[in-house]
């Protein structure tokens, strides 16, 4: 069988399957509604009588995580270097 004939047969089988499948999607299979964009939130809240949200308010948790990771890296580096120096000088390391 030629690959073009196989491709055409696959297309016709797929078209038949699609036409035989019901078009309704069960409620639990539907994707949740997308979250509002930051511009939409700011434009909604930036009306007279309401407090405007600062754009930095949404970035702070990410910065906090980055700072925590930076501190953890520095602490790990410092403790590793201390252990290496202690071993090089013949002292017993305090940490395992």
């Amino acid at each position: 069988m030629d690959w073009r004939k196989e491709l055409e047969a696959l297309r016709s089988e797929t078209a038949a399957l699609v036409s035989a499948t019901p078009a309704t999607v069960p409620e639990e299979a539907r994707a949740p509604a997308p979250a509002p964009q930051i511009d939409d939130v700011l434009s909604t809240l930036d009306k007279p009588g309401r407090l405007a949200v600062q754009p930095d308010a949404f970035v702070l948790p990410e910065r906090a995580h980055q700072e925590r990771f930076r501190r953890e890296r520095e602490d790990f580096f410092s403790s590793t270097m201390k252990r290496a120096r202690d071993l090089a000088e013949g002292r017993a390391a305090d940490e395992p």
Side-chain angles (χ1 to χ4, degrees):
M1 199 174 204
D2 186 11
W3 68 270
R4 291 181 184 154
K5 290 179 183 177
E6 289 181 13
L7 180 61
E8 189 56 40
L10 180 62
R11 286 182 184 164
S12 62
E13 289 176 17
T14 304
L17 180 63
V18 168
S19 64
T21 305
T24 59
V25 177
E27 187 65 34
E28 63 272 357
R30 292 186 184 173
Q37 298 296 324
I38 186 69
D39 295 334
D40 296 337
V41 172
L42 291 176
S43 65
T44 302
L45 294 176
D46 195 21
K47 293 181 179 176
R50 292 193 177 193
L51 296 175
V53 175
Q54 299 297 324
D56 291 340
F58 295 101
V59 182
L60 289 179
E62 293 175 7
R63 288 182 187 163
H65 285 295
Q66 291 172 356
E67 285 296 315
R68 189 184 98 217
F69 291 144
R70 183 188 58 76
R71 283 192 308 271
E72 288 176 357
R73 276 194 311 268
E74 289 176 358
D75 291 344
F76 178 76
F77 176 77
S78 297
S79 65
T80 303
M81 290 304 294
K82 182 181 181 318
R83 283 196 315 261
R85 285 187 201 108
D86 288 346
L87 288 174
E89 294 173 0
R91 290 182 289 197
D94 295 337
E95 298 177 19

